[in-house]
Amino acid sequence: VQLQASGGGSVQPGGSLRLSCAASGSIFSIRTMTWYRQAPGKQRELVAFITSGGDSNYVDSVKGRFTISRDNAKNTTYLQMNSLQPEDTAVYLCNAEIRVGRYDQFRDYWGQGTQVTVSS
C-alpha cells in the first residue's frame, strides 16, 4: 500500500492550491483520511480529517479557508486550500487508516509529503 501526495507548490498570499493524496495497492477499505502539516522548527499539526462517512473537521486556523473531501472510488482525498497565508507554509503530509483484508486491522499509512510555500 502506498500513499502518493501531490499538488503542492508556491503561491502568493491569497492564492489557492489543491492537494491530492491517492492510496494504491491491496486495499480492502479506508477509514479516516487526514492531512497534517509540518513547518520548519515546529511540531507536526493536524490540519483536517475526513471519515469514511464524510464527516470532517479542521484545525481552527484553517476553518473557512480549507476544504477536505474524498473520492472513495478512487481511494483519494483532496485538500482545497483557499486564501493561503504565509503561515500556511509547510510540508503537507497525508495519512490514511487502511485495512488490506476483511479480517485485518486498520493500520496507519503515510504519504511522502508535498511542499506548500506561500510568499510574496
Side-chain angles (χ1 to χ4, degrees):
V1 175
Q2 289 187 328
L3 293 184
Q4 181 70 43
S6 62
S10 296
V11 296
Q12 293 185 339
S16 297
L17 285 172
R18 188 191 192 210
L19 305 183
S20 299
C21 177
S24 62
S26 178
I27 297 171
F28 180 79
S29 63
I30 302 177
R31 195 160 56 186
T32 301
M33 304 185 83
T34 305
W35 285 98
Y36 291 82
R37 65 186 179 187
Q38 187 158 20
K42 294 188 176 181
Q43 289 188 333
R44 185 172 295 181
E45 175 183 48
L46 189 153
V47 178
F49 69 83
I50 185 166
T51 68
S52 56
D55 293 326
S56 60
N57 207 348
Y58 304 85
V59 67
D60 284 346
S61 60
V62 308
K63 285 181 179 178
R65 300 188 297 122
F66 291 11
T67 302
I68 190 171
S69 61
R70 65 190 282 172
D71 183 334
N72 290 329
K74 295 182 178 180
N75 292 330
T76 299
T77 182
Y78 305 96
L79 187 66
Q80 177 66 43
M81 306 185 296
N82 298 329
S83 302
L84 282 161
Q85 300 301 317
E87 52 267 33
D88 296 316
T89 295
V91 174
Y92 284 71
L93 304 107
C94 59
N95 168 278
E97 297 176 317
I98 297 174
R99 186 166 57 171
V100 298
R102 178 184 295 274
Y103 302 106
D104 291 319
Q105 292 185 341
F106 283 98
R107 289 180 55 198
D108 277 333
Y109 290 86
W110 291 86
Q112 84 286 7
T114 184
Q115 177 71 45
V116 171
T117 302
V118 185
S119 173
S120 56

